[in-house]
Amino acid sequence: MAVNELPDLFYTWGAGFAKPFVESGKVLPIDKYINDGTKDKLLPNTLENFTYNGKIYSLPTFVTAGIFYCNKELLIIII
């Protein structure tokens, strides 16, 4: 980006990290390329971190899920 020689495709983190790339005007929105049902195959809200000003600029490469187990007899929650 800094030397104005971008590859056609590149990998980066989404959300706030990608925002400067989009704001530079050097990244192409891909909305018209994924209107073939691709968006329908993704989990809800998956594209939030790749959407700026209503346009989609990237697709996720993976989705991470975590499970938290706790022993209720040992865990004391104070409300």
Side-chain angles (χ1 to χ4, degrees):
M1 287 287 291
V3 295
N4 205 24
E5 294 180 13
L6 297 170
D8 292 336
L9 298 170
F10 63 95
Y11 175 86
T12 186
W13 296 105
F17 190 86
K19 191 174 182 181
F21 298 139
V22 172
E23 289 177 341
S24 74
K26 297 177 183 176
V27 181
L28 177 71
I30 61 171
D31 299 80
K32 67 180 181 179
Y33 302 106
I34 59 172
N35 284 329
D36 60 354
T38 300
K39 291 187 287 188
D40 300 330
K41 296 176 184 176
L42 299 172
L43 295 171
N45 303 319
T46 302
L47 297 174
E48 276 187 15
N49 286 335
F50 308 107
T51 304
Y52 302 92
N53 298 321
K55 295 180 182 177
I56 301 168
Y57 287 88
S58 184
L59 292 173
T61 55
F62 61 89
V63 176
T64 304
I67 300 172
F68 179 71
Y69 293 100
C70 70
N71 183 333
K72 290 194 275 184
E73 293 177 9
L74 298 175
L75 182 67
I76 300 172
I77 299 176
I78 300 172
I79 299 177

